[in-house]
Amino acid sequence: MKTILVTGGAGYIGSHTVVELLKNPEYDVIIVDNFSNSNPEIVNRLYEVTQRPIKIYHRDCRDQMDDILSEHKVDAIIHFAAYKSVGESNQNPLIYYQNNINTLLNILICCEEFKVKNFIFSSSCTVYGKTEELPLTENSKINEPFSVYGYTK
């Protein structure tokens, strides 16, 4: 059995990812979410959809997570926990830098400390800035982001 920790796992993309992961009987899922952009009720819905238990930690990813990684042998982390509003990021840039960068750094430190070698970071197409090229691919030219959110991703 492999254990996947999904930060922001109660959010829109995170919860859909959790459902897909739990379709594989070889995966267990742990969610870490502070519910700032999601609803705790989603965890009950995830169980209804998957009929699989999900361990949930109501925690901000900027906070200490050693206890979680000590308790569980985590094989991979998928990191979705970030603020995501382009407009809000330009109005409150420090909040976005503080949250999005510090959650990422904290998770990467945990990966190093607990030897979690599999890490997926949820970026955003906003890192490509203003472009005429559609559809965007991972080989598309990265331009100057047009928002603080883009810089933090």
Side-chain angles (χ1 to χ4, degrees), residues 53-68:
I54 304 164
K55 183 74 176 170
I56 180 87
Y57 290 90
H58 182 178
R59 181 155 326 158
D60 192 300
C61 290
R62 292 172 286 187
D63 295 337
Q64 186 62 259
M65 294 183 33
D66 288 3
D67 59 324
I68 298 170

Side-chain angles (χ1 to χ4, degrees), residues 10-21:
Y12 182 79
I13 295 172
S15 63
H16 283 75
T17 300
V18 167
V19 168
E20 291 304 310
L21 288 168

Side-chain angles (χ1 to χ4, degrees), residues 53-116:
I54 304 164
K55 183 74 176 170
I56 180 87
Y57 290 90
H58 182 178
R59 181 155 326 158
D60 192 300
C61 290
R62 292 172 286 187
D63 295 337
Q64 186 62 259
M65 294 183 33
D66 288 3
D67 59 324
I68 298 170
L69 290 154
S70 292
E71 182 180 337
H72 306 278
K73 162 74 173 91
V74 173
D75 298 288
I77 296 176
I78 303 175
H79 181 49
F80 292 116
Y83 293 154
K84 63 188 182 321
S85 169
V86 169
E88 183 183 65
S89 75
N90 289 330
Q91 293 170 354
N92 300 301
L94 292 178
I95 292 170
Y96 271 69
Y97 281 112
Q98 202 276 336
N99 183 73
N100 293 1
I101 301 299
N102 288 342
T103 58
L104 174 61
L105 290 173
N106 194 37
I107 299 296
L108 290 174
I109 289 166
C110 288
C111 285
E112 183 176 61
E113 183 177 340
F114 290 92
K115 298 181 179 20
V116 179

Side-chain angles (χ1 to χ4, degrees), residues 35-54:
F35 301 108
S36 65
N37 284 315
S38 59
N39 187 322
E41 178 58 31
I42 194 68
V43 178
N44 295 329
R45 291 189 194 142
L46 288 171
Y47 179 77
E48 289 171 10
V49 169
T50 65
Q51 294 298 299
R52 300 269 314 274
I54 304 164

